[in-house]
Every structure is written in C-alpha cells, then in structure tokens.
Amino acid sequence: MKAVAMPTVSRVAVCGGTHGNELAGIYLVREMLKKRADGTEPVSVVTVMSNPRAAQLCVRYVETDLNRCFTRAALSAPVSETSPYEMIRSQELNALLGAQRSVDLLCDLHNTTANTGLCLITYSDRDWICLHICKHLQACTNTKMASTPVRYVHFDIPLNEAYSLDSVGKHGFAMEIGPQPHGVVRSVIFSAMQEGVQLMMDWICQFNSGTLFEGGWVDVYTMVKNIDYPRDSETHMISAAVHPDLQDRDFCLLHPGDPMFLCFSGETLRYRGKEALYPFFINEGAYYEKGVALSLARKRRVQIPSVRSETD
C-alpha cells in the first residue's frame, strides 16, 4: 500500500469519568489537570472530567447513561432544566469538543469488570490514525504495559448512529482497560492506562514532527452481536450465570458446543452459534441492566498503509 499523508493531530482531548464509577480514568484525568499548560507543548491537550456529578457520587450515571447520549438525534434534541442531566451534559461536551469537529483526536478513558486487557474501541476499521496508535501500543513491549494485551475493537454501526463520546472527534476511541471492579482503582490498571495515554501522545508527537510510520497488519475484532443471560419465561429474571469455563476468557475463541452458561438449577447451556467467535465484555457488571452477558466478535487482519503528516 502507498504511504498516506494525513493532517497533523494538533488538538487532542483526553476524557475521564464518562462513567462516574470507573476510577482509573477519573484519577488519571485529575492528575493531568494538575499540570498546567505553559504554551510550549507540541500538542494542545484538552483534559475533561466528562460526568462530574456521577464522579462525585461514584456512580455510573446520575439519570441516564452519558455514553449513550451522543447520537445525532440526542445532540440536536431540545433540552431544558427538566431534561436528564446527562442529556444536557452531552450537548455541553459536544460544544466543547465536537463543534465544527474541533478536536482532532478524542480518547475517552473507561474501565470494565471484564478481563479484556486494553482495548481501543472505535466505529471505524479504516481509521489509519487509530489503527497506527493501536499498532504502536502493541509494539511497546518494554513498558509498564508489557503484560497488558492491546486489541482493536470495531463497532460496525453507521456513524450517524454512533452513541458514545469518542464519536464527536475527527478521530476517536474509547481506551477500555480491565479487569477492574467499579468503584475501585487498581494500581496495575491505572499504570497501564497512564502508560497507554503517554504512548498515544508519544506517537502523536512523532507523527506531527514528520516521522514516517511503516504500515503493516492489525487484528480487528468487529462486534457481531450481544448475548443476554438466560431468563425465566415468567419473571424474566436471570436464571443462569456465565459458565466457569468461559468466565475471564475474553477474546479466547468460543466454538459451537462450548459451555456458555451454568443454570442455577445446575444445567450447562452451550453456545449454539454456527461459527466460532471471540467473546468479550464477559459478565461486565454494568451490562446487567442492559441485558448483555457478553458480546461476540469476528476477527480479521486489516492491512494499514504507512502514514506521515502532511507537509507544506
């Protein structure tokens, strides 16, 4: 593939606390906010506490999930004093970070209770900036992230239906790291996130300075569907838990016939899909309310071109 010249990434947003009980991102943003810019930084970085009310209360959200409030319909809907706080806040964040697409790259920090390692989650499998940042993180094996697997997750939905904060930038992704319980910060998870953000910024600075980054291949996990827990036909209450053979095996191939759930009655329910897929967000604590026990993805290798910043 021919090398691609792309505009410099001159303005970056790093956001934490979109979910107020995902503490690694909250504490990292607080640390970043302590450092005042003096105008000599090679890249302008906007650091934002996305949902300060939820962060103060250490809850996922106050009235509704902020990270589902960034669809075009939601951002254009009229709001008033009686609107849910997160609906109002999403429009404030869009005005700050997304108006006229002013932010070149938006990195939204998240934690998951699932054993995912570090994932860059985005709506595009052809965003060369995001894919090269992922490739860069994967190559940095001599850092604090050496024991943290790095993966690229693609949500294959139209951009006009994109619902999360990272979608308001020209380029954007959620940097999701687990496992970490909600309402808790684990030092190893915080360190991996901090290192991931620093490596991202290192790549951006090198890219802006004219460095040519060689192309190659990146494994992309494209989400296929979500799987709900088995439920009682009358009460609709959950009737099974994730099977122990599947628990904590995020991104390990799930074959037809493999154990998926263990019913409270003792029966094992097996995966009935026709193709082997990769499960992730297995038993994510925040997704019980959404009716999601796990997500399934299809993996493929995506070739990415060499890139460098545009020069005059």
Side-chain angles (χ1 to χ4, degrees):
M1 300 177 73
K2 293 183 179 180
V4 176
M6 304 185 69
T8 57
V9 180
S10 57
R11 190 161 183 255
V12 176
V14 178
C15 304
T18 300
H19 294 135
N21 58 358
E22 297 178 8
L23 298 191
I26 289 173
Y27 283 110
L28 180 53
V29 162
R30 286 174 177 166
E31 285 299 304
M32 295 176 69
L33 286 169
K34 293 177 183 178
K35 301 176 182 178
R36 294 183 178 274
D38 60 11
T40 63
E41 294 79 11
V43 179
S44 173
V45 179
V46 182
T47 310
V48 179
M49 187 66 71
S50 306
N51 195 335
R53 290 189 187 177
Q56 184 176 16
L57 296 171
C58 195
V59 294
R60 182 174 174 86
Y61 53 80
V62 178
E63 295 182 78
T64 191
D65 191 335
L66 176 60
N67 218 34
R68 301 297 183 271
C69 292
F70 292 92
T71 61
R72 291 182 183 177
L75 293 176
S76 61
V79 295
S80 67
E81 293 180 355
T82 61
S83 299
Y85 166 69
E86 281 84 3
M87 289 293 293
I88 298 172
R89 182 61 177 157
S90 68
Q91 296 193 11
E92 293 173 349
L93 291 167
N94 185 54
L96 175 66
L97 305 173
Q100 307 302 317
R101 294 293 187 182
S102 57
V103 173
D104 296 311
L105 176 68
L106 196 157
C107 172
D108 191 24
L109 304 174
H110 287 268
N111 292 123
T112 172
T113 62
N115 188 31
T116 59
L118 187 152
C119 296
L120 300 187
I121 304 175
T122 180
Y123 295 99
S124 174
D125 60 352
R126 288 293 185 270
D127 188 316
W128 307 139
I129 295 292
C130 295
L131 283 159
H132 265 280
I133 290 173
C134 181
K135 183 172 178 283
H136 180 67
L137 266 60
Q138 290 172 338
C140 294
T141 57
N142 59 340
T143 68
K144 296 176 184 177
M145 288 179 52
S147 61
T148 304
V150 178
R151 300 181 178 93
Y152 192 97
V153 176
H154 169 222
F155 284 3
D156 187 17
I157 63 175
L159 284 179
N160 63 348
E161 297 177 16
Y163 50 76
S164 53
L165 173 56
D166 54 278
S167 66
V168 306
K170 292 178 182 176
H171 307 274
F173 50 76
M175 183 181 289
E176 183 106 36
I177 308 184
Q180 177 174 280
H182 297 315
V184 170
V185 60
R186 296 179 59 192
S187 58
V188 66
I189 298 296
F190 177 87
S191 295
M193 180 176 284
Q194 186 176 45
E195 189 74 12
V197 171
Q198 185 57 57
L199 290 171
M200 174 190 76
M201 293 306 304
D202 291 345
W203 186 92
I204 291 169
C205 290
Q206 293 178 54
F207 172 76
N208 288 348
S209 69
T211 299
L212 175 68
F213 286 92
E214 295 293 337
W217 297 85
V218 175
D219 287 336
V220 172
Y221 294 84
T222 298
M223 190 179 78
V224 175
K225 60 182 175 180
N226 294 320
I227 302 293
D228 193 7
Y229 294 90
R231 295 180 182 273
D232 184 277
S233 59
E234 295 182 0
T235 67
H236 303 292
M237 299 294 290
I238 289 173
S239 59
V242 170
H243 196 279
D245 289 353
L246 177 59
Q247 181 65 52
D248 298 326
R249 290 180 57 79
D250 296 75
F251 297 105
C252 295
L253 198 58
L254 181 68
H255 295 89
D258 285 350
M260 180 175 276
F261 296 104
L262 182 62
C263 295
F264 300 142
S265 63
E267 179 187 2
T268 292
L269 301 180
R270 298 180 180 275
Y271 173 49
R272 294 183 176 181
K274 295 181 179 179
E275 65 174 312
L277 294 171
Y278 291 85
F280 67 105
F281 285 147
I282 297 173
N283 205 15
E284 160 57 46
Y287 288 175
Y288 276 72
E289 68 176 39
K290 301 182 186 300
V292 176
L294 62 141
S295 299
L296 293 175
R298 188 177 290 116
K299 184 175 77 168
R300 73 188 193 286
R301 303 205 80 193
V302 171
Q303 187 177 15
I304 61 175
S306 301
V307 297
R308 67 171 5 132
S309 60
E310 293 176 344
T311 56
D312 297 332

